[in-house]
Amino acid sequence: MTNTRHTQSMLPPDSFRGQTIVVTGGGTGLGRSMSQYLLTLGAKVAICGRRLEVVERAAQEMAETTGGEALALKCDVRQSEEVEAMFSAVSEQFGRVHGLINNAAGNFICPTERLSYNAFNAVVDIVLKGTYNCTLAIGKRWIDAGTPGAILNISTTYAWTGSGYVVPSAVAKAGALIMVRSLASEWGKYGIRLNAIAPGSFPTEGAWSRLKPPELEDGGNLSQKVPLGRFGEHQELANLAAYLLSDFSAYITGACVTIDGGAWLRGAGQFNALERVDSEQWDALQAAMKPPKK
Ligand code: HXC
Ligand code: NAP
């Protein structure tokens, strides 16, 4: 494939000039890629995570490469007091917050009957509780101040299909997606928009080490899993995220945009496994099954 437009910046360079965006889990993986892109678009970006050294290093590197202002904060999104303190610190440093990306997540593959109660809680508390902690903290501030804002959740396609072996994550992502849709309706009157993105497979160290261990690799038979035959590129996800947070999407709220190369539909369609049938096999099948022309 020669088309590389999807790996380029989509929005005009100053799209976020004068705006401050908070990205949870912004020190690694997709959170870092989205943060980096928002910085190139002129935003001030605050990133948080549980490991201060990780967010501090990321913020420093991103500030150096983009010339933008990045603030690193230690915050466990499961703890509402830490979340409140994080937003207060961002406001002190940067002033008003304009947008939030609920990106922080925890996940691992495990047969559900092997999960301890604590294992279930660990994931649900990060993904669902962390998301509503951050959403409530910033939503209340916006409503009190009478200012608009935009929230973006990073979801998954199994938020609506469900999936075995990642049940805590599926339950939590589904709950967080319903919160987006519920609040899109309830908070529209305050000028607060909430949307979600459901990514397919985008290589990151965090996801790959926990969900796709080398022992389970099946030779990356992508064409059978992903109709478009490849993994996602971070920039194309960052383009979509920036668009949904920006004023360019001012009339979009309560949406969940899937960016997965068609992967979830391939898994869902009852006859999609026929992809494996080659042309000669189709000749033989049709010779046997197709009725003769009348
Ligand atoms: C079974 C496990 C486990 C595993 C941990 N636990 N890993 N159980 N299988 N692989 C259990 C532990 O034994 C413990 O239970 C409980 O979970 C909590 O574990 P801790 O290590 O104490 O928790 P904590 O330090 O809070 O870490 C949270 C975590 C960890 C979720 C377990 O993986 C993490 O920090 N993840 C953050 C980053 C991440 O997950 N990135 C991937 C996002 S990718 P007991 O009972 O022993 O105390 C993603 C992609 C979705 O979401 C879609 C892909 C297509
Ligand atoms: P990642 O690099 O592991 O990102 C997870 C981030 O969340 C880390 O920076 C982690 O930092 C932070 N985090 C975890 N628990 C936290 C907590 N309690 N408080 C604050 N921060 C916390 O994985 P990723 O692949 O980039 O995932 C990013 C998002 O994309 C997630 O929402 C994930 O579900 C979603 N997603 C990814 C894929 C994919 O293919 N990669 C597909 C679908 C959806 P600390 O450990 O320092 O806290």
Side-chain angles (χ1 to χ4, degrees), residues 25 28-30 49-51 75-78 103-105 126 154-156 173 199-202 204 206-208:
T28 65
L30 298 179
R50 292 164 301 175
R51 293 166 297 163
C75 172
D76 184 335
V77 295
R78 292 175 283 198
N103 166 79
I126 301 171
I154 306 305
S155 190
T156 65
K173 292 281 190 187
S201 288
F202 285 73
T204 66
W208 255 232

Side-chain angles (χ1 to χ4, degrees), residues 24-32 34 48-52 54-55 75-78 102-107 125-127 154-158 169 173 197-208 210-212 234 237:
T24 66
T28 65
L30 298 179
R32 178 169 171 157
M34 291 185 283
C48 74
R50 292 164 301 175
R51 293 166 297 163
L52 185 60
V54 170
V55 279
C75 172
D76 184 335
V77 295
R78 292 175 283 198
N102 284 312
N103 166 79
N107 201 0
D125 283 357
I126 301 171
V127 177
I154 306 305
S155 190
T156 65
T157 55
Y158 59 62
S169 171
K173 292 281 190 187
I197 291 177
S201 288
F202 285 73
T204 66
E205 209 273 326
W208 255 232
R210 292 175 177 88
L211 304 171
K212 297 179 192 273
H234 285 210
L237 184 115

Side-chain angles (χ1 to χ4, degrees), residues 116-174:
S116 69
Y117 291 104
N118 193 34
F120 208 101
N121 288 341
V123 172
V124 173
D125 283 357
I126 301 171
V127 177
L128 180 56
K129 195 173 167 197
T131 298
Y132 72 65
N133 280 343
C134 293
T135 302
L136 274 186
I138 193 63
K140 284 177 181 185
R141 282 167 162 79
W142 285 335
I143 293 165
D144 284 349
T147 50
I151 296 176
L152 180 67
N153 275 18
I154 306 305
S155 190
T156 65
T157 55
Y158 59 62
W160 59 89
T161 64
S163 175
Y165 306 98
V166 286
V167 168
S169 171
V171 166
K173 292 281 190 187

Side-chain angles (χ1 to χ4, degrees), residues 22-253:
V22 172
V23 183
T24 66
T28 65
L30 298 179
R32 178 169 171 157
S33 298
M34 291 185 283
S35 301
Q36 168 99 15
Y37 184 44
L38 290 166
L39 283 162
T40 67
L41 296 176
K44 293 176 184 168
V45 177
I47 59 173
C48 74
R50 292 164 301 175
R51 293 166 297 163
L52 185 60
E53 69 285 3
V54 170
V55 279
E56 276 183 337
R57 193 171 55 242
Q60 195 190 332
E61 288 170 4
M62 290 192 294
E64 277 166 17
T65 53
T66 63
E69 284 184 72
L71 176 65
L73 294 159
K74 179 171 159 54
C75 172
D76 184 335
V77 295
R78 292 175 283 198
Q79 311 298 333
S80 55
E81 349 46 271
E82 290 188 31
V83 168
E84 288 288 343
M86 184 264 293
F87 280 112
S88 296
V90 177
S91 297
E92 241 167 66
Q93 179 82 20
F94 287 154
R96 160 165 149 61
V97 172
H98 299 76
L100 162 70
I101 305 185
N102 284 312
N103 166 79
N107 201 0
F108 50 78
I109 45 170
C110 183
T112 306
E113 68 278 14
R114 293 187 183 208
L115 288 170
S116 69
Y117 291 104
N118 193 34
F120 208 101
N121 288 341
V123 172
V124 173
D125 283 357
I126 301 171
V127 177
L128 180 56
K129 195 173 167 197
T131 298
Y132 72 65
N133 280 343
C134 293
T135 302
L136 274 186
I138 193 63
K140 284 177 181 185
R141 282 167 162 79
W142 285 335
I143 293 165
D144 284 349
T147 50
I151 296 176
L152 180 67
N153 275 18
I154 306 305
S155 190
T156 65
T157 55
Y158 59 62
W160 59 89
T161 64
S163 175
Y165 306 98
V166 286
V167 168
S169 171
V171 166
K173 292 281 190 187
L177 182 55
I178 284 300
M179 192 175 70
V180 161
R181 291 183 173 144
S182 304
L183 288 179
S185 181
E186 189 180 335
W187 285 356
K189 60 180 175 285
Y190 301 119
I192 299 173
R193 297 188 301 114
L194 298 98
N195 290 295
I197 291 177
S201 288
F202 285 73
T204 66
E205 209 273 326
W208 255 232
S209 63
R210 292 175 177 88
L211 304 171
K212 297 179 192 273
E215 296 79 3
L216 280 184
E217 283 301 345
D218 61 356
N221 200 348
L222 281 172
S223 62
Q224 302 241 329
K225 293 183 208 139
V226 187
L228 293 182
R230 64 174 175 85
F231 292 136
E233 299 274 356
H234 285 210
Q235 182 61 46
E236 59 194 328
L237 184 115
N239 281 335
L240 178 58
Y243 169 68
L244 287 173
L245 268 187
S246 75
D247 297 339
F248 290 105
S249 63
Y251 202 49
I252 301 180
T253 193

